[in-house]
Amino acid sequence: MIDKYEIVIGCEIHTQLLTKTKAFCACENRYGGMPDTRVCPVCLGLPGAMPRVSKGYVELGAVAGLALNCDIASYTKFDRKHYFYPDLAKGYQITQYDLPLCTDGFVDLPLVHYPKEEQPGEKNCRTENFAGENCIIDNKYRRIRIERIHLEEDVGKSLHLEGKHSYIDYNRSGTPLIEIVTKPDMTSPEEAALFMQTVQEILRYVKVTKGNLEEGNMRCDANINLNVWEDGKLYHTPISEIKNLNSFKAIKDACTYEAKRQLKEFQEDRKEFNPGFKNTMGWNEAEGQTVIQRTKNSFVDYRFVVEPDIKPFTVSAELVEKAAEKVGELPEQKRVRFQEEYKLTQFDSEVLTGTRELSLWYEEAAEQSKNPKRTANLIIAELLAVLNEKKQTINDISITPKHIAELSDALEEKRITSKQGKEIFAQMLETNALPSEIIKEKGFEVVSDSGAIEKIVDEVIQNNPKAIEDFKKGKTNVVGWLMGQVMKASQGKANPGEATKLINQKLSTL
């Protein structure tokens, strides 16, 4: 009888890099377009064609490695990985085998995104990884180890159109890739999805990749098996590699299904782990199930050899230093700093660090304003709402951080009402005029002088005797109605707080 089981997941994330040209030739590196229009003898694998390594390719690989806390090799090389598939024109892929560019990295996943029962101190919190090492960092993060990041080229794309034939588009062939290989440190489908989401965010931040899963320039292979305890004895199920998962939902759903399938298979057929064997699975999203594609016997199938057309090379300290400069402050570091420096909530900081551009835009506005928290609220509640509706990003707007900072200060100092603030915001987006200019043009400056407001309050009370009688009879909603009359009489310029205070004072003496 099965006592319990646990899921073991390791990920291999393939990410296309944002170089101008392909990995080993001068063809343009760009998504889409007419099939087979951005190809040459090198990326088509024609006889006699000689590949040449792009320096920018290696540098971006180093940027990715440093962003994911890896060591960068000072000496590395390329290898040939042999396998036959129609979209691999030359019958082998140029990749890296035993001397990858990046090794021994890690990603720390914020525990705030884990279920409550998996938080530190709770019964389901796993404090050690499968190697027996502590994986909880500062009681705030769970560490996922990265074994390696290696450089390799992408293959062409198979097109299965209606009819009897399939076609190959070789435009993608030779596109520069990195493959991020983790240790088997993840214990749930949700954690695997969170890991890929975090990696995507980091690599976008350092401008290594677009990270668009729908375009295929980031995709994940999930290696999954189970540790099963039966009658006190530990068993391991065979590893399944689920290929080409192109959404966070697909990662979660595919791993969830495969875990259940493996448990059932173990119960029925007693299949156990073999270190030289794994199943290659596909994910049928429409059917909601994994399907077996092939079986393979580890690296023996690939017949790795050193790439004879590309000499091994050294990676200079200057290249690594230049890559480090491009990494800068990463999203989680920025979130923590925003919470400490600007007193933002976890939610606010996560929204405002969604992209590097947005975080820099907010920070510039915050530094120019008197209340960074109010400035954050304006950006999140007003500006991002407009951008989301128009399907735009912060790069698409014409107003500057100074516009938001001025509007924030005008509200903070109660020089305008919140209603006026919304009107100013709308006009600001339409005309690019600064809030100070709009306030002056519209005569929106709030009247805060208590004497002037008191005079208006006295007139409103004197002109509305029925409302006063209703108040004396216990109708408390009269206060709000009188407040509306004061705002109307002042053309919206009376300071709402001061006006409310005076109305209550006057009514209390009646």
Side-chain angles (χ1 to χ4, degrees):
M1 180 178 177
I2 290 178
D3 305 319
K4 66 173 182 175
Y5 73 93
E6 63 185 4
I7 300 171
V8 184
I9 301 174
C11 287
E12 299 171 10
I13 297 177
H14 298 79
T15 301
Q16 293 181 356
L17 302 182
L18 284 172
T19 55
K20 292 181 180 178
T21 61
K22 291 185 181 180
F24 306 111
C25 65
C27 292
E28 183 186 10
N29 177 23
R30 176 166 60 85
Y31 174 77
M34 288 291 292
D36 300 325
T37 54
R38 292 192 301 280
V39 293
C40 73
V42 173
C43 53
L44 287 175
L46 299 183
M50 294 292 289
R52 185 179 64 181
V53 182
S54 158
K55 182 180 178 182
Y57 176 26
V58 178
E59 186 177 305
L60 275 190
V63 171
L66 292 170
L68 299 178
N69 304 293
C70 291
D71 298 327
I72 309 301
S74 58
Y75 178 82
T76 188
K77 65 180 175 67
F78 283 97
D79 302 275
R80 287 185 179 182
K81 176 181 177 181
H82 294 84
Y83 64 93
F84 173 77
Y85 207 72
D87 56 18
L88 186 61
K90 51 185 178 277
Y92 63 87
Q93 180 185 31
I94 300 178
T95 183
Q96 293 187 301
Y97 177 40
D98 56 330
L99 292 177
L101 180 66
C102 315
T103 53
D104 297 327
F106 61 85
V107 172
D108 288 340
L109 303 180
L111 285 167
V112 69
H113 297 306
Y114 282 68
K116 185 179 184 303
E117 60 270 18
E118 295 180 24
Q119 301 287 332
E122 300 295 331
K123 63 176 182 178
N124 291 338
C125 178
R126 188 182 182 99
T127 59
E128 292 184 347
N129 58 33
F130 292 113
E133 302 167 344
N134 176 54
C135 60
I136 300 296
I137 310 300
D138 299 330
N139 265 359
K140 293 181 180 178
Y141 303 98
R142 187 162 189 274
R143 179 160 292 179
I144 306 299
R145 296 169 299 159
I146 293 174
E147 180 179 302
R148 56 189 276 144
I149 302 176
H150 59 262
L151 307 175
E152 64 183 21
E153 62 178 338
D154 210 342
V155 296
K157 184 177 181 181
S158 298
L159 304 173
H160 306 292
L161 307 178
E162 290 184 12
K164 298 180 180 179
H165 304 288
S166 292
Y167 302 85
I168 307 292
D169 176 7
Y170 285 110
N171 279 345
R172 195 175 71 180
S173 182
T175 294
L177 284 178
I178 53 173
E179 181 175 342
I180 303 162
V181 182
T182 78
K183 297 284 190 180
D185 284 353
M186 286 156 273
T187 60
S188 72
E190 292 77 14
E191 187 173 40
L194 176 61
F195 173 78
M196 187 171 181
Q197 193 170 357
T198 304
V199 169
Q200 180 198 54
E201 179 186 59
I202 292 171
L203 296 186
R204 280 177 166 176
Y205 238 71
V206 297
K207 299 190 181 303
V208 161
T209 182
K210 284 184 180 178
N212 290 338
L213 279 70
E214 61 274 12
E215 290 182 4
N217 51 46
M218 180 178 273
R219 50 196 189 271
C220 177
D221 300 341
N223 291 279
I224 175 172
N225 74 327
L226 305 179
N227 291 333
V228 181
W229 284 264
E230 185 180 57
D231 297 327
K233 185 178 178 181
L234 173 61
Y235 299 88
H236 308 287
T237 62
I239 294 176
S240 290
E241 182 181 20
I242 313 172
K243 302 288 287 186
N244 294 325
L245 299 169
N246 61 1
S247 73
F248 307 129
K249 183 178 185 298
I251 294 168
K252 187 171 68 172
D253 291 350
C255 289
T256 299
Y257 177 87
E258 180 61 18
K260 293 177 181 176
R261 188 199 69 77
Q262 287 191 20
L263 184 63
K264 182 180 179 183
E265 181 180 72
F266 176 79
Q267 290 171 319
E268 293 176 353
D269 300 333
R270 314 296 299 174
K271 287 191 176 180
E272 291 188 57
F273 172 75
N274 179 335
F277 175 87
K278 73 164 65 170
N279 293 311
T280 299
M281 314 290 285
W283 172 240
N284 186 326
E285 192 163 6
E287 299 291 333
Q289 61 185 22
T290 55
V291 291
I292 191 156
Q293 293 178 332
R294 65 181 187 274
T295 60
K296 62 182 179 183
N297 291 311
S298 189
F299 291 104
V300 176
D301 285 355
Y302 291 135
R303 294 176 291 117
F304 280 100
V305 296
V306 175
E307 170 54 64
D309 293 334
I310 302 175
K311 292 193 299 184
F313 58 94
T314 58
V315 179
S316 68
E318 289 78 14
L319 184 147
V320 176
E321 187 177 328
K322 187 176 178 182
E325 289 173 0
K326 291 185 176 180
V327 172
E329 188 178 41
L330 294 172
E332 181 60 21
Q333 297 170 321
K334 199 177 286 285
R335 275 192 281 272
V336 171
R337 183 170 64 81
F338 279 8
Q339 290 171 50
E340 293 174 351
E341 192 173 327
Y342 299 128
K343 311 304 178 191
L344 300 187
T345 64
Q346 175 78 23
F347 173 80
D348 290 347
S349 63
E350 286 188 357
V351 171
L352 292 171
T353 56
T355 67
R356 192 170 201 151
E357 292 77 13
L358 176 59
S359 67
L360 294 173
W361 203 95
Y362 161 70
E363 191 153 22
E364 189 176 337
E367 288 173 354
Q368 296 180 55
S369 68
K370 296 179 179 177
N371 187 333
K373 171 63 174 152
R374 184 184 288 274
T375 302
N377 291 343
L378 278 173
I379 292 173
I380 293 170
E382 303 294 341
L383 186 57
L384 292 186
V386 171
L387 293 179
N388 289 337
E389 185 181 342
K390 294 183 177 180
K391 293 183 172 55
Q392 294 179 334
T393 70
I394 198 70
N395 299 325
D396 299 318
I397 62 169
S398 54
I399 64 169
T400 66
K402 183 179 179 182
H403 285 78
I404 291 293
E406 276 198 10
L407 181 56
S408 174
D409 286 351
L411 289 164
E412 178 70 16
E413 296 165 356
K414 297 186 164 74
R415 289 186 280 116
I416 57 172
T417 65
S418 57
K419 182 180 178 182
Q420 289 171 336
K422 289 184 178 295
E423 190 174 334
I424 291 167
F425 177 78
Q427 188 166 338
M428 185 173 76
L429 288 181
E430 187 177 339
T431 66
N432 288 341
L434 288 166
S436 54
E437 296 168 353
I438 299 170
I439 291 170
K440 185 176 180 181
E441 177 192 337
K442 297 258 184 190
F444 271 168
E445 198 78 34
V446 166
V447 177
S448 294
D449 178 72
S450 58
I453 298 174
E454 185 174 15
K455 185 178 179 182
I456 297 171
V457 169
D458 287 340
E459 288 177 359
V460 166
I461 289 175
Q462 185 177 349
N463 294 335
N464 294 280
K466 186 176 184 307
I468 303 306
E469 287 301 317
D470 288 343
F471 176 78
K472 289 179 180 179
K473 293 176 181 177
K475 293 186 178 180
T476 55
N477 61 344
V478 168
V479 176
W481 185 84
L482 289 173
M483 179 63 189
Q485 297 305 302
V486 170
M487 296 306 293
K488 184 177 179 181
S490 67
Q491 297 180 324
K493 295 180 181 180
N495 184 306
E498 184 67 22
T500 302
K501 184 176 79 172
L502 286 169
I503 290 171
N504 283 320
Q505 284 178 358
K506 299 287 183 181
L507 291 177
S508 67
T509 61
L510 296 176

